[in-house]
């Protein structure tokens, strides 16, 4: 799968969260272009302040061994909690769909060697990722 297709999987998760009455943020995890897991924000649905989309996605991936050759896709720039999980698990690349609404922690991730890719450089068209808000 391409970056665009994998970001579409994350966007589908954001739409799912919205349909459940939650915050429309989605995430996907891939290895070598193969989708491993998806997740969506469940803070409202589960009354759980830490079930962010990226955390849900990583939980859904389970114990896959090393994360060092994976890519995390997120419809919104990961916050410091999620960025910390990226660093902790050694995920080397994060593809972000939107970062104007919430700037998140790209500098934190970059300072730990994570490549944080904006949509244009990831092959995702500028207007594709925020579609979940429409």
């Amino acid at each position: 799968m391409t970056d665009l297709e994998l970001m579409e999987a994350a966007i589908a998760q954001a739409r799912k969260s919205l349909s459940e009455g939650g915050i429309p943020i989605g995430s996907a995890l891939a290895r070598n272009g193969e989708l491993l897991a998806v997740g969506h924000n469940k803070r409202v649905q589960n009354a759980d302040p830490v079930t962010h989309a990226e955390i849900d996605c990583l939980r859904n991936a389970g114990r896959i061994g090393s994360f060092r050759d994976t890519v995390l896709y997120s419809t919104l720039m990961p916050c410091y909690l999620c960025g910390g999980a990226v660093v902790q698990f050694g995920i080397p690349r994060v593809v972000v769909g939107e970062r104007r609404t919430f700037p998140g922690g790209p500098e934190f991730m970059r300072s730990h060697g994570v490549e944080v890719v904006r949509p244009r450089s990831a092959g995702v068209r500028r207007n594709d990722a925020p579609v979940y808000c429409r």
Side-chain angles (χ1 to χ4, degrees):
M1 297 176 78
T2 66
D3 279 340
L4 180 59
E5 291 168 324
L6 290 160
M7 184 58 77
E8 287 292 335
I11 291 169
Q13 287 295 300
R15 288 184 178 127
K16 180 176 181 179
S17 183
L18 185 62
S19 75
E20 295 171 352
I23 301 166
I25 304 169
S27 186
L29 184 72
R31 177 181 284 140
N32 299 320
E34 179 184 338
L35 183 64
L36 299 176
V38 294
H40 61 279
N41 191 297
K42 295 179 181 172
R43 292 173 58 204
V44 173
Q45 299 93 313
N46 295 351
D48 178 356
V50 296
T51 307
H52 295 198
E54 300 88 347
I55 300 300
D56 188 49
C57 183
L58 294 172
R59 282 181 178 154
N60 291 337
R63 298 181 59 92
I64 62 169
S66 175
F67 285 81
R68 296 196 185 282
D69 57 351
T70 62
V71 178
L72 184 70
Y73 295 80
S74 182
T75 59
L76 186 66
M77 180 64 73
C79 68
Y80 285 97
L81 169 70
C82 298
V86 166
V87 170
Q88 178 67 30
F89 290 125
I91 297 170
R93 184 169 183 253
V94 176
V95 178
V96 178
E98 201 271 331
R99 67 181 239 173
R100 287 178 301 194
T101 303
F102 180 76
E107 293 81 14
F108 170 76
M109 290 184 284
R110 287 185 183 118
S111 74
H112 287 85
V114 177
E115 178 188 13
V116 180
V117 183
R118 295 175 67 190
R120 284 189 168 193
S121 59
V124 179
R125 294 183 305 269
R126 180 173 291 278
N127 293 325
D128 285 340
V131 121
Y132 64 89
C133 292
R134 295 183 191 149

